[in-house]
Amino acid sequence: MRKLFSLLIMLISFSQVYAQTVTGTVQSATDKSGLPGASVVMKRAASEAILTTMTDGQGAFRFERVPSGNYTLEVRFLGYDMLSKPVQVAQAPVNLGVLSMQEQNTRLGEVQIIGRAPLGEQKGDTSQFNAKAFKTAPDASAEDLVTKMPGVQVQDGRIQAQGEEVRQVMIDGKRYTGEDVTSAMRNISSDMIENVQIFDAQSDQAAFSGFDDGNRLKTINFITRKDRRQGYTGKISAGYGTDDRYMAGAAVNYFNNDRRITVTGLTNNINMFDFSIGETPGGGMRGRRGGWGGGSPIGIINTNNFGINYQDKWGKKMDVSANYNYTNRDIINDQYRFRDFVSDDAGLQYTEYADNRDREDGHRLNMRLQYNINENNRLLVTPSLRVQNDNSFTGRNARTFDLEGTLSESLNRASSDNTSFNFNNNILYSKRFGDSGRILTTNFNTSINNVEGDGYQFEQTENFENPDRNVLRDQYIRLDRKNFSWSGSTNYSQRLGEKSRWQLEYSIGNQMRDSDRRTYDYMETAGGYTNFNTPLSSTFKSDYLSQNIGPSYQYRDDKARLQLNARYQYATLNTDSQFPVDLAPLERKFNNFLPSAEYEYKFSNSQNLTLNFRTSTNVPSVEQLQEVLDISNPLQARIGNADLDQDYQSRLNIRYRNFNAETNRVFFIGMFGTMTNNYVANSVYTTNVPEGIAEGYELRPGARLSRPVNLDGHYNVRSFFNYGQPLNFISSNFNVNGTVGYSRIPGMIDEQINYANNTNLGAGINISSNISEKIDFTVSTFSSYNIVSNTLRTTQNNNYFNQNTSVRYNWILWKDLVYRTELNHQYNSGLSAGVDNSFLLWNMSLGKKIFKDKQGEISLSVNDLMNQNVSIRRNITESYVEDVQSTVLQRFFMLTFSYNIRSFKGAPATEENMQRGPGMYRGRPGSN
C-alpha cells in the first residue's frame, strides 16, 4: 500500500512538470471592446493545431494543460485580420495580456472592391455564420435571420438546428435566462448581430470540471456588433380587427455592454403567446408561432403577459441574470378524435367530441448567479420558481363501435381547479489547485414539486349490449401531491502527462414522493359528496435512493479527443400504499453498470466527426406507480402499477460536420439512436381484466383499461442530413435536407405482445433570398412518408404522407409601402375519414412607413385569407393509431399601428440603421 501511495505521488508530481496554463484577452484595436467567440489556436512549429478554444463574452480565453515548448498562437475573428504571435511555454503560467486585432482594410486608394460576404466557418464542433451573408428585411428578428442559415428550420413551431431542437440561447457567450428560446430569439433584432454560432453546449458541471457528463444542449450564441452594445431597441404595437380581435404589445431592450434589460408586455386574443421586436402586423404567421417550450398553438387563446429579463456584471467577479414572467391565459379548444384500435375485434374504433375550456395563471422566476471568487475558485447558483393555477373544464361525448354498430356511448363532464408550486435550486462549486492540473467540483441540488386541487366528475354511460349496466356517476375528487428530491455529487480530476487526465466521481440522489387522491360519491340523501369511494382513491408513497461511483479517462491530442466513463449504480425503491388496497411496504434493489464514451476526430479545421455513447436509468413516475383507477374518460380508463422497475436506456449519437469557408458549402449528417430495456409500455385490456387489477371494475363494451408494464424491445433511430450553398445567379442561399427514422414501440393487448413499427422518410429544400434589404423571401417544402405496421393485427397497417410548403415574402415598394405575405400549404393523405386532409393558410399585410425617420408604420393585415386553417395531428402508439383535429384561429382582418425604437450610442436611429447592410464586404484583390 505504501509503495502504491508513493507511486501515485510520483505520478502526480511527474504530470505537473509538463503542462501549464495560457491565458489572454482578445479585443478590437479600434474601440478596445472585447471580441467574444473569436477562434484561438495554438500550434507547434510546422505542425497541425494542437489546442483550440474560443473567447468568452468579454473576449478572454484560457488553455489548460499546455505542454512545454514553442508555439504559434493564431486568433481569427470574422471582419478582422488574423493575429499571429509566438508563445513560449516553460515551467510557469503564461499570461499574454491584451491581444488587439485590426479590422480588415476596406479600400485600396479610390478603388472599392466588392465581393460576397463569407458565409462562415467551422470551428471544431461549432458552426459559425457571418450575419452579413444573410439579408433580412427591416425590423427582422434573430429568429428570421437564423432560419435562413444551413441546417436551421422551424418544425412544429420549434427551432431546430442540425436535426435537434434548440434548447438554449446565448448572447455574447452569456446564457439567456428563461425557458422559452423562441421568445429570446424574437427579442433580438437581426441588425444587432455580427455572428451566429451553433454548437452542443456542455452542462455547467462539465464546463467547470473539464469532463463531459453527456448533458448537452443544442445552443445558438448570438455575437452582437460592437456598435450595437449600447443603446435601445424595441417595438410598440396595437391593433384592432374584425370579430373583435385585438392586440397590444410592447418590447423594449436596453443594452449597456454587460448590462442588458428586456421588458415585454402583451394582451391579445389572436393566439400570440409573447410579443417581440420582430413581430409582424396582425401577429404574423400564427401557424408557426409557439408558446412555452414551442409547438404550434391550437384553440382560440386570450393571453395577457408581462416579462422582464435582466443580465449584468456586478463588479469584476459576479455575473448575474434573472428572468420573470407572468402569464394569464384563457383557451377554448374543441377537438374531434378518431382512434383505430389494434385488437382481435375487427373494426373496433373510437370517436370523441370534446369541448375544452382552460384558464392558466402563472408566475415564473429563473436566476443565475456566478461568482468568480478568484482565478481558481468559482461558485454558481441557479434557483428557479414556478407557481401556477389551472382551472379547466372538459365536456366529452365518446363512443366505441365495431362493424356491427355502437357498443358503448359516454357523456362525461369534468372540471378541476389545481395549484402547483415548483422550486428548484442548484449550487455548483469548482476549485482549481493552482496550475497543478487538479480540479475539485461539487454540486448540490434540491427540488420541491407540490400540486393540490379539487375536481368534479359526472359520467353517464350507456351500455348498448346490456342496458341494465348503464352507469350514472357524480363524484368529487381531492388531490394532494408532494414531491421532494435532493442530489449531490463530487468530482476530482487530475492530469496524467501531456495529453491525458482522469477523474473520479461520486453522486447520490433521493426522490421522496407522497400522493393522496380521494374520491367521494354524491349522495342525494345527504345532499353532498359524502360517500368515500375506496376503489377510486389512493394514498401512495415512494422513496427512491440512487448512488453512482466510477472513474473517467480523457485523452486529447492535436487531432482526436477520447473520453471513457464507467459508473456503478446502486439504487433502492421503497413504496407504500393504503388505498385502494392496504399493501405491505415493498422494497426493490437495483444494480447497474453505466458505461459511456465520447470520441471526436478533426480531419481539418473545417471537418470533424463526433461519436457519443451514453447509458442511463429512469425511475417510474408517481402516476405510473400509483394503483388508482382513473375513469375521467370511462371508455379509456387507466390504472398504475406499483411493481414497475426502472428502465435502462442506451443512446448513440454520431455527427459529421464539413464547412468549406472558401466555397461557402455546408454539409452536416447525424444519426441519433436510443434502445430501452424495461421500457414502461402500456398493457391494454379490452375484455376481461385479470384478478388483482382494478378490483370491482367492469369494462364497458368496447372500452379499454390501460396499465403500465415493463417490456424490452423499444427502439428509436433517426438520421438527418443537410447540405447548403449560395446560389449566386439568383443571389440566394440553397439548402436541401432529409431524414430517415425508425421507431419500435412495444405494448401488450389482452396479454399478447404487439410491436408498433413506424418508418419515416422525409426530404425538403429551402431557398432564402440574399438580393436586397428591400426584397426578402424564403421558400421551403418538406415531405414525409410514414409506414406503420403492427405485429398483432397486420390488417391495420397503414401508410400516410404529408407535405408542408411555405412561402414568406417581404417587399418594400414605392414611397415606403411595405407588402408582406406568408403562405403555408399542408397536404395530407392516408388519414382517417372525416379529417380535413389539406388546407392553405395565407396571411398578408400592406403597410406604410410614416414619420420622418420611418420608424412608424400603419398596416392592414388579414389572417387566413382563404379561411381554410385547420389543425391535424396523427399519433401512433402500441395499441392504436389516432387522428386529432382541433379548433384553430381562422380568418380576421386587423388594422395595426407599430412604432420601432432604435437608438445606439454613436449611431442615430434612422431607417438605414434598422436595415441589415448590403451583405457585401470590401475585401482584397482576388476575393470571390
Side-chain angles (χ1 to χ4, degrees):
M1 185 68 181
R2 183 179 301 171
K3 292 182 178 180
L4 181 61
F5 181 75
S6 300
L7 180 61
L8 180 61
I9 294 297
M10 291 176 60
L11 183 60
I12 293 175
S13 302
F14 179 77
S15 67
Q16 295 174 6
V17 172
Y18 282 89
Q20 297 295 336
T21 60
V22 178
T23 59
T25 301
V26 179
Q27 67 179 25
S28 170
T30 305
D31 60 3
K32 309 303 181 184
S33 62
L35 298 179
S39 172
V40 186
V41 178
M42 290 190 68
K43 294 182 177 180
R44 286 191 186 273
S47 72
E48 294 292 331
I50 187 172
L51 290 173
T52 63
T53 189
M54 289 189 299
T55 57
D56 62 16
Q58 285 72 47
F61 65 88
R62 181 187 182 99
F63 288 102
E64 297 281 356
R65 310 182 301 277
V66 182
S68 300
N70 294 319
Y71 295 84
T72 298
L73 184 131
E74 296 180 352
V75 185
R76 292 178 173 86
F77 192 79
L78 286 175
Y80 288 80
D81 292 325
M82 185 192 75
L83 185 150
S84 180
K85 178 182 179 67
V87 177
Q88 184 178 25
V89 180
Q91 304 301 318
V94 179
N95 187 344
L96 299 176
V98 175
L99 304 176
S100 297
M101 299 189 72
Q102 299 289 336
E103 292 190 50
Q104 289 178 344
N105 189 23
T106 59
R107 289 184 180 271
L108 291 176
E110 295 298 321
V111 180
Q112 186 176 356
I113 300 174
I114 304 296
R116 172 174 291 276
L119 198 65
E121 59 183 320
Q122 186 72 31
K123 299 178 178 181
D125 63 352
T126 299
S127 300
Q128 176 165 303
F129 297 98
N130 180 9
K132 294 180 180 178
F134 303 90
K135 294 205 178 90
T136 57
D139 310 334
S141 68
E143 180 188 33
D144 300 315
L145 173 65
V146 299
T147 51
K148 287 176 170 284
M149 296 177 175
V152 181
Q153 59 185 346
V154 178
Q155 194 80 4
D156 296 328
R158 296 177 171 88
I159 301 293
Q160 290 188 350
Q162 300 173 346
E164 299 177 88
E165 182 179 348
V166 176
R167 300 282 187 178
Q168 182 173 261
V169 170
M170 289 181 165
I171 303 175
D172 291 330
K174 295 183 178 180
R175 287 177 176 84
Y176 178 90
T177 305
E179 300 175 11
D180 192 351
V181 299
T182 54
S183 176
M185 282 190 269
R186 292 171 189 151
N187 277 303
I188 307 171
S189 59
S190 62
D191 65 319
M192 294 179 60
I193 301 170
E194 183 83 22
N195 296 311
V196 177
Q197 296 175 334
I198 301 174
F199 58 96
D200 297 308
Q202 293 181 329
S203 68
D204 292 314
Q205 180 160 328
F208 276 28
S209 67
F211 271 84
D212 191 357
D213 57 6
N215 297 318
R216 288 177 172 260
L217 298 175
K218 183 63 71 177
T219 300
I220 294 182
N221 179 34
F222 296 102
I223 300 173
T224 60
R225 293 167 49 182
K226 60 181 181 296
D227 61 341
R228 293 291 190 268
R229 295 175 186 172
Q230 289 183 304
Y232 299 87
T233 66
K235 173 175 280 191
I236 300 172
S237 184
Y240 187 79
T242 57
D243 301 324
D244 289 327
R245 299 296 170 195
Y246 67 89
M247 181 277 295
V252 179
N253 294 318
Y254 167 74
F255 297 88
N256 189 4
N257 295 320
D258 290 323
R259 177 174 298 172
R260 297 174 180 179
I261 301 174
T262 300
V263 179
T264 62
L266 171 69
T267 179
N268 80 103
N269 63 356
I270 59 172
N271 288 21
M272 291 176 63
F273 288 173
D274 54 59
F275 187 83
S276 69
I277 62 175
E279 202 62 65
T280 54
M285 183 73 80
R286 298 268 60 78
R288 68 180 183 91
R289 290 293 302 274
W292 292 358
S296 299
I298 57 176
I300 308 298
I301 306 170
N302 296 8
T303 297
N304 301 299
N305 177 274
F306 172 78
I308 182 169
N309 189 281
Y310 172 80
Q311 189 175 82
D312 201 357
K313 190 174 184 67
W314 293 353
K316 296 182 179 180
K317 297 184 177 182
M318 179 78 78
D319 291 313
V320 180
S321 60
N323 175 273
Y324 168 76
N325 185 279
Y326 167 75
T327 298
N328 172 272
R329 184 174 296 140
D330 291 314
I331 305 172
I332 299 174
N333 181 24
D334 299 332
Q335 289 185 326
Y336 167 74
R337 189 180 305 265
F338 177 86
R339 288 181 182 175
D340 193 4
F341 292 113
V342 178
S343 68
D344 293 330
D345 185 359
L348 182 61
Q349 296 173 334
Y350 168 87
T351 59
E352 172 188 303
Y353 295 88
D355 302 328
N356 301 292
R357 305 292 184 268
D358 296 283
R359 169 166 290 183
E360 303 171 359
D361 196 86
H363 303 262
R364 293 179 297 163
L365 175 65
N366 299 278
M367 297 186 68
R368 179 184 175 88
L369 301 95
Q370 181 169 323
Y371 180 39
N372 301 309
I373 304 170
N374 53 43
E375 187 181 27
N376 296 317
N377 293 271
R378 287 186 292 178
L379 178 67
L380 176 65
V381 182
T382 52
S384 64
L385 175 68
R386 184 169 185 169
V387 180
Q388 183 158 322
N389 176 261
D390 295 301
N391 191 304
S392 65
F393 169 82
T394 298
R396 181 184 293 112
N397 190 340
R399 73 184 185 105
T400 57
F401 56 95
D402 58 15
L403 297 178
E404 297 181 359
T406 300
L407 302 174
S408 293
E409 186 169 355
S410 176
L411 178 66
N412 183 264
R413 300 288 182 267
S415 63
S416 64
D417 187 0
N418 295 325
T419 299
S420 61
F421 175 87
N422 302 307
F423 174 77
N424 185 81
N425 187 51
N426 193 78
I427 301 174
L428 177 62
Y429 171 74
S430 175
K431 178 177 178 59
R432 300 176 187 269
F433 294 88
D435 294 300
S436 64
R438 292 174 289 149
I439 301 175
L440 177 68
T441 305
T442 61
N443 184 76
F444 186 72
N445 179 273
T446 54
S447 179
I448 300 173
N449 298 283
N450 295 338
V451 179
E452 61 177 22
D454 303 281
Y456 294 89
Q457 183 172 298
F458 175 83
E459 173 199 350
Q460 183 177 349
T461 301
E462 186 176 358
N463 188 324
F464 283 79
E465 291 187 350
N466 188 351
D468 293 335
R469 294 188 176 181
N470 291 346
V471 174
L472 182 64
R473 193 189 310 268
D474 189 2
Q475 296 173 328
Y476 163 74
I477 301 168
R478 175 64 184 173
L479 177 66
D480 189 4
R481 184 174 296 155
K482 294 181 173 63
N483 299 329
F484 175 74
S485 63
W486 62 267
S487 62
S489 66
T490 299
N491 305 272
Y492 173 81
S493 62
Q494 169 69 54
R495 282 198 299 260
L496 296 174
E498 295 185 10
K499 300 179 180 180
S500 60
R501 60 189 293 117
W502 67 277
Q503 174 183 265
L504 181 65
E505 177 183 9
Y506 170 75
S507 63
I508 183 172
N510 190 204
Q511 300 178 30
M512 294 165 283
R513 297 172 291 188
D514 186 348
S515 181
D516 191 336
R517 175 190 168 107
R518 306 206 177 204
T519 303
Y520 298 86
D521 293 322
Y522 183 81
M523 302 297 294
E524 291 187 3
T525 56
Y529 298 91
T530 57
N531 185 37
F532 182 63
N533 190 317
T534 302
L536 298 183
S537 301
S538 174
T539 61
F540 183 84
K541 295 181 179 180
S542 69
D543 190 316
Y544 179 73
L545 179 68
S546 65
Q547 299 181 73
N548 296 266
I549 188 171
S552 300
Y553 172 78
Q554 187 181 86
Y555 175 86
R556 184 196 299 263
D557 63 14
D558 57 341
K559 285 287 189 180
R561 180 178 65 86
L562 173 66
Q563 180 173 315
L564 303 174
N565 310 289
R567 298 288 184 270
Y568 166 71
Q569 182 189 75
Y570 173 74
T572 59
L573 176 61
N574 294 279
T575 58
D576 186 13
S577 176
Q578 294 182 3
F579 301 118
V581 180
D582 191 358
L583 300 175
L586 178 65
E587 180 181 15
R588 271 164 292 170
K589 300 179 180 179
F590 307 99
N591 293 273
N592 290 291
F593 175 63
L594 303 175
S596 61
E598 183 170 9
Y599 178 72
E600 180 180 1
Y601 185 79
K602 294 191 294 185
F603 299 95
S604 66
N605 288 334
S606 62
Q607 298 182 66
N608 79 314
L609 175 70
T610 302
L611 293 88
N612 185 286
F613 173 74
R614 296 282 164 182
T615 55
S616 62
T617 60
N618 297 286
V619 64
S621 67
V622 168
E623 292 80 5
Q624 293 170 332
L625 291 168
Q626 191 171 13
E627 293 192 350
V628 58
L629 188 62
D630 180 2
I631 55 171
S632 55
N633 183 346
L635 301 185
Q636 306 293 324
R638 298 186 61 85
I639 193 171
N641 181 2
D643 294 326
L644 287 175
D645 290 335
Q646 60 177 195
D647 68 21
Y648 186 95
Q649 191 175 90
S650 302
R651 303 186 304 275
L652 175 65
N653 297 333
I654 303 174
R655 301 178 180 89
Y656 171 78
R657 305 174 179 88
N658 186 351
F659 196 150
N660 191 320
E662 295 182 0
T663 62
N664 282 337
R665 294 179 179 176
V666 180
F667 179 72
F668 171 86
I669 187 169
M671 186 187 76
F672 317 96
T674 302
M675 179 181 71
T676 307
N677 292 327
N678 269 344
Y679 173 75
V680 179
N682 285 317
S683 178
V684 179
Y685 299 97
T686 63
T687 52
N688 298 321
V689 179
E691 293 185 7
I693 300 176
E695 290 289 349
Y697 178 72
E698 182 179 348
L699 278 175
R700 317 288 185 262
R704 300 160 75 85
L705 174 68
S706 297
R707 181 173 184 259
V709 294
N710 290 114
L711 293 175
D712 292 336
H714 177 269
Y715 302 99
N716 191 335
V717 180
R718 183 174 62 90
S719 62
F720 172 86
F721 81 89
N722 182 90
Y723 172 80
Q725 71 169 57
L727 296 179
N728 295 327
F729 65 94
I730 58 172
S731 296
S732 300
N733 296 311
F734 171 78
N735 288 279
V736 59
N737 58 79
T739 181
V740 177
Y742 170 75
S743 66
R744 184 191 190 196
I745 307 174
M748 297 186 71
I749 302 175
D750 293 325
E751 304 294 336
Q752 298 182 71
I753 295 180
N754 177 61
Y755 293 100
N757 302 287
N758 183 20
T759 301
N760 172 267
L761 307 172
I765 60 173
N766 177 287
I767 299 176
S768 60
S769 67
N770 232 10
I771 301 172
S772 165
E773 67 274 2
K774 293 186 177 183
I775 297 178
D776 178 29
F777 68 81
T778 300
V779 181
S780 65
T781 184
F782 189 86
S783 301
S784 177
Y785 186 72
N786 292 266
I787 304 170
V788 182
S789 63
N790 294 279
T791 57
L792 265 188
R793 187 180 167 194
T794 57
T795 57
Q796 284 192 320
N797 295 347
N798 174 257
N799 301 338
Y800 66 96
F801 173 83
N802 58 66
Q803 181 185 56
N804 182 276
T805 302
S806 65
V807 177
R808 299 179 60 203
Y809 182 74
N810 297 335
W811 184 17
I812 300 178
L813 301 166
W814 174 70
K815 290 190 176 181
D816 300 318
L817 290 174
V818 182
Y819 174 73
R820 303 177 179 93
T821 188
E822 301 182 358
L823 295 95
N824 189 305
H825 181 263
Q826 181 75 38
Y827 174 77
N828 302 290
S829 69
L831 300 183
S832 308
V835 176
D836 294 334
N837 286 332
S838 304
F839 66 89
L840 173 65
L841 175 61
W842 187 1
N843 299 345
M844 70 168 61
S845 71
L846 181 64
K848 166 67 174 176
K849 295 286 186 179
I850 58 176
F851 303 137
K852 183 178 180 180
D853 54 12
K854 303 176 185 178
Q855 289 184 248
E857 182 179 333
I858 296 178
S859 60
L860 178 64
S861 62
V862 57
N863 182 87
D864 188 17
L865 177 65
M866 308 300 291
N867 206 33
Q868 295 183 4
N869 190 22
V870 296
S871 171
I872 302 171
R873 185 178 74 252
R874 165 154 286 195
N875 301 315
I876 299 173
T877 74
E878 69 281 0
S879 60
Y880 62 81
V881 176
E882 172 185 78
D883 291 323
V884 182
Q885 183 165 326
S886 304
T887 301
V888 292
L889 187 66
Q890 293 189 310
R891 182 169 56 200
F892 68 89
F893 293 83
M894 179 169 284
L895 183 66
T896 305
F897 169 76
S898 300
Y899 184 79
N900 290 284
I901 303 170
R902 294 289 193 279
S903 177
F904 296 100
K905 184 177 180 180
T910 63
E911 177 75 6
E912 181 181 358
N913 289 328
M914 293 166 55
Q915 299 176 3
R916 175 156 309 282
M920 314 294 275
Y921 75 100
R922 302 179 179 102
R924 301 170 182 171
S927 60
N928 296 317

